[in-house]
Amino acid sequence: MSGGLLVAGTTSDAGKSVVTAGICRWLVRRGVKVAPFKAQNMSLNSFVTREGAEIGRAQAMQAQAARVEPSALMNPVLLKPGSDRSSQVVLMGKPVGEMSARGYHGGRQEALLGTVVDCLEQLRGTYDAVICEGAGSPAEINLRRTDIVNMGIARAARFPVLVVGDIDRGGVFASFFGTTALLSAEDQSLVAGYLVNKFRGDVSLLEPGLDMLYGLTGRRTYGVLPYAHGLGIDEEDGLRVSLRGAVRESVVAPPHGEDVLRVAVCAVPLMSNFTDVDALAAEPGVVVRFVDRAEELADADLVIVPGTRGTVKALAWLRERGLADALVRRAAEGRPVLGICGGFQVLGERIEDEVESRAGQVDGLGLLPVRIRFERAKTLARPVGSALGEPVEGYEIHHGVADVRGGEPFLDGCRVGAVWGTHWHGSLESDAFRRRFLKEVARAAGRRFVPAPDTSFGALREEQLDRLGDLVEEHADTDGLWRLIEGGAPGGLPFIAPGAPGVGAGGGASSVGGGASSVGGGAPAAGGGAPAAGSSPRPAPSRNRGSAPDPGPQSPDGLECARNAVGRPDGLEVARDSVQEPDGLECARDAVGRPDGLEVSDVNKEAL
């Protein structure tokens, strides 16, 4: 029994996160104990678990869809870009170094395969099913040899793979066929079939194409999900507002008072945790937009300077664009400004940064009596407190330490007039506090806006997750999906030429974790006849894993990576300031003892 499924995509943003969350919600509503998993995530939107581990925000959302507490096991590797060529590497929830893309793919990534397989096996030992999300496309042939998040983890776990394609972009049939045809024979043996996402129109017009796709690949399509307007889920990649679709496309309730409230969010470089504004966008009568020009602040009732992975870079950008001067004028006029995390740091008097940018001492905008000093240790916390007379919860992810020297207390920061600043992400999701804050903003802006008295952001999020579950249950072949989760990929799936472009470049043809399915045969009735869409799954699977493969890690080309006594692959050695993780996993803090080929960016190699 497989006990899991990997949701891959033909491209980034094909809908992997949405489909993974929808499958998790569908399963948990059927009594299946399920957990999400993404071996490696690249995102500036992250979340802090209750044990103080930083993981991708999308995996926290998927955990909520599965109705389980998020854990570092669900996203063992998180990459947080700091530039076009380097990222902070977060391993098991803790930062371990700043690394170039070449260095990561040149050695470190492959060495982490054992770690991610161990995390997956721990989840499999606890849950009935684990729904994995891939990254980008599984057919990125230049990266296949060191892949640990797509076919690498599928091969290690012997998980079937469901490939999602966004038909709204066009070219979905070519994408499905090409994705499959660029994989090695062993990888293809795990590609069980396809799922069409964001379809508009009459499905009957699509069916001849699905039949032809089956004839070409021997793989069936497990569902056609319709385009759903206004889905508000936590974004992972790119710089979009999660609920912007709801504001623009869905039927929005009218303002509760006489006026709307206009919120402008400065689209600073390396913007992080922009999901902070989702709760505002969910409020009737609140209009949220992103801006990058000073004149766009003129009619805003509230300006938010959001979090960023590059505080000094964001400050320079604000000055170059004239936004800094506009913010100073707003403050002098008593017009509301809110800074969150990096945005809070920008509003202060001075920034001392020898860690993130290495810029040394830099003058801030001087709107708040705060001095910021960057430290190598990252603050990861889930604070609880009160502000404006209401209870507030949030989470903190920052290297900057604030020395608040005046103003009125506001969470961990302060307030001066109509300018507020805090390191707390997620505070606006606290309903009572959000309403009080919006009242303050409306009063300062001179707007007759009244917050709706009954908006519950938590309830709205649950509704959206239920919508995802409904999409899967009503428009996917759930019996077929359940057979994949319970029994793995169908046997005898045919090989689609040309396959991977050679063993050296394509990851080899060796099987990881078990023998390969037969290839080259005729197209079978993959997965059996298609039951009616929306049919219920079979009873929850047993936790007995039966013939589950040995989880000992191997590279995708069959090169074994021996683990030492604490389960760490050889080559991932403990360096200075090592952090002891649960289950004995120690994390390297810098480049000492790194595998051959590991390169650390010159700018940021001592950042942590």
Side-chain angles (χ1 to χ4, degrees):
M1 183 175 67
S2 170
L5 176 72
L6 174 70
V7 178
T10 57
T11 63
S12 293
D13 203 33
K16 298 182 293 292
S17 297
V18 170
V19 171
T20 299
I23 292 175
C24 285
R25 179 51 60 103
W26 158 64
L27 286 173
V28 76
R29 292 195 307 201
R30 295 300 179 268
V32 178
K33 190 177 181 183
V34 59
F37 177 78
K38 185 163 186 173
Q40 172 194 295
N41 196 347
M42 177 174 280
S43 179
L44 287 172
N45 279 341
S46 58
F47 182 76
V48 179
T49 67
R50 294 204 180 278
E51 66 268 25
E54 185 179 8
I55 66 172
R57 180 92 187 186
Q59 280 59 68
M61 176 271 296
Q62 291 161 357
Q64 184 175 354
R67 296 175 180 158
V68 296
E69 189 67 30
S71 160
L73 293 174
M74 298 172 184
N75 180 207
V77 182
L78 173 63
L79 306 178
K80 303 191 71 176
S83 70
D84 290 340
R85 295 192 176 186
S86 69
S87 295
Q88 183 181 71
V89 180
V90 179
L91 179 61
M92 295 301 294
K94 305 296 181 183
V96 297
E98 196 86 7
M99 193 174 300
S100 70
R102 176 170 178 164
Y104 183 70
H105 290 287
R108 168 61 71 84
Q109 184 181 36
E110 189 174 5
L112 292 176
L113 180 61
T115 299
V116 300
V117 170
D118 284 347
C119 291
L120 178 56
E121 287 303 310
Q122 288 187 57
L123 292 174
R124 293 182 74 183
T126 304
Y127 295 90
D128 299 323
V130 181
I131 308 303
C132 305
E133 179 187 347
S137 163
E140 291 169 350
I141 55 180
N142 57 315
L143 303 177
R144 176 61 185 91
R145 179 180 173 84
T146 57
D147 168 50
I148 63 171
V149 65
N150 290 306
M151 301 311 300
I153 196 68
R155 294 246 315 253
R158 302 305 299 169
F159 273 6
V161 178
L162 181 71
V163 181
V164 178
D166 180 356
I167 197 170
D168 197 50
R169 293 182 172 186
V172 73
F173 293 115
S175 297
F176 283 145
F177 183 88
T179 296
T180 309
L182 280 175
L183 301 179
S184 69
E186 310 309 312
D187 285 351
Q188 286 193 26
S189 72
L190 294 175
V191 176
Y194 312 111
L195 186 75
V196 177
N197 190 32
K198 297 185 182 179
F199 179 74
R200 304 173 191 252
D202 186 346
V203 176
S204 66
L205 299 177
L206 187 66
E207 289 172 350
L210 301 180
D211 292 340
M212 287 185 277
L213 181 66
Y214 175 79
L216 289 167
T217 67
R219 291 160 174 83
R220 49 181 300 220
T221 299
Y222 283 82
V224 178
L225 305 186
Y227 192 102
H229 294 271
L231 279 177
I233 65 163
D234 294 339
E235 291 280 5
E236 173 179 291
D237 302 313
L239 296 178
R240 292 168 297 279
V241 186
S242 301
L243 289 179
R244 177 176 280 186
V247 171
R248 288 182 170 181
E249 299 176 355
S250 65
V251 177
V252 180
H256 196 70
E258 297 180 42
D259 286 344
V260 299
L261 204 65
R262 297 172 177 85
V263 179
V265 184
C266 297
V268 296
L270 299 173
M271 183 165 52
S272 60
N273 286 70
F274 50 85
T275 49
D276 283 333
V277 303
D278 287 354
L280 295 180
E283 281 283 352
V286 176
V287 180
V288 178
R289 68 182 189 274
F290 279 71
V291 302
D292 58 6
R293 296 183 300 181
E295 54 268 29
E296 294 180 285
L297 303 188
D299 66 344
D301 301 308
L302 169 67
V303 174
I304 295 179
V305 187
T308 173
R309 179 80 165 88
T311 299
V312 171
K313 181 182 292 187
L315 180 57
W317 181 87
L318 289 169
R319 285 179 167 137
E320 290 167 2
R321 299 240 169 185
L323 289 160
D325 289 339
L327 289 170
V328 172
R329 287 195 299 270
R330 286 185 65 90
E333 295 166 359
R335 302 176 66 195
V337 176
L338 170 64
I340 302 175
C341 200
F344 167 43
Q345 296 167 3
V346 162
L347 300 181
E349 299 172 345
R350 189 176 70 194
I351 299 169
E352 295 180 17
D353 182 11
E354 298 292 349
V355 176
E356 188 176 78
S357 68
R358 292 181 165 189
Q361 184 170 308
V362 178
D363 288 337
L365 298 186
L367 304 184
L368 292 175
V370 177
R371 296 185 180 181
I372 303 294
R373 184 186 69 260
F374 275 69
E375 294 189 350
R376 298 185 186 279
K378 179 184 279 191
T379 298
L380 297 169
R382 290 278 294 271
V384 176
S386 63
L388 305 179
E390 301 292 349
V392 191
E393 296 183 10
Y395 57 99
E396 296 182 65
I397 306 171
H398 54 92
H399 287 281
V401 176
D403 177 12
V404 179
R405 300 188 168 197
E408 301 176 38
F410 179 70
L411 300 174
D412 69 321
C414 64
R415 170 188 181 179
V416 174
V419 179
W420 294 266
T422 177
H423 274 128
W424 289 23
H425 294 290
S427 63
L428 294 170
E429 296 180 18
S430 298
D431 296 327
F433 165 72
R434 182 180 65 254
R435 286 192 279 270
R436 285 292 299 270
F437 177 72
L438 289 176
K439 286 180 181 178
E440 290 275 331
V441 168
R443 180 188 58 77
R447 292 287 184 185
R448 290 173 293 182
F449 168 84
V450 179
D454 55 355
T455 302
S456 168
F457 184 71
L460 290 172
R461 176 172 285 172
E462 277 295 305
E463 289 176 10
Q464 298 287 39
L465 294 173
D466 276 332
R467 288 184 65 195
L468 295 181
D470 293 342
L471 285 174
V472 170
E473 189 165 351
E474 295 170 10
H475 300 281
D477 172 13
T478 52
D479 276 358
L481 290 178
W482 182 249
R483 282 192 293 272
L484 294 181
I485 294 168
E486 190 178 36
L493 294 171
F495 172 73
I496 309 301
V503 173
S510 299
S511 173
V512 177
S517 301
S518 170
V519 296
S535 53
S536 298
R538 296 177 182 179
S542 166
R543 294 185 187 175
N544 179 11
R545 295 295 161 198
S547 57
D550 181 355
Q554 290 182 320
S555 68
D557 62 359
L559 177 64
E560 295 187 4
C561 302
R563 285 179 293 162
N564 60 21
V566 297
R568 184 178 63 252
D570 287 345
L572 184 60
E573 298 181 11
V574 178
R576 62 179 175 82
D577 299 329
S578 62
V579 179
Q580 186 70 33
E581 293 294 342
D583 302 320
L585 177 65
E586 294 185 273
C587 303
R589 295 290 295 182
D590 60 14
V592 178
R594 63 183 183 267
D596 290 342
L598 181 64
E599 297 182 7
V600 179
S601 67
D602 291 335
V603 174
N604 295 304
K605 66 182 179 180
E606 295 178 5
L608 288 165

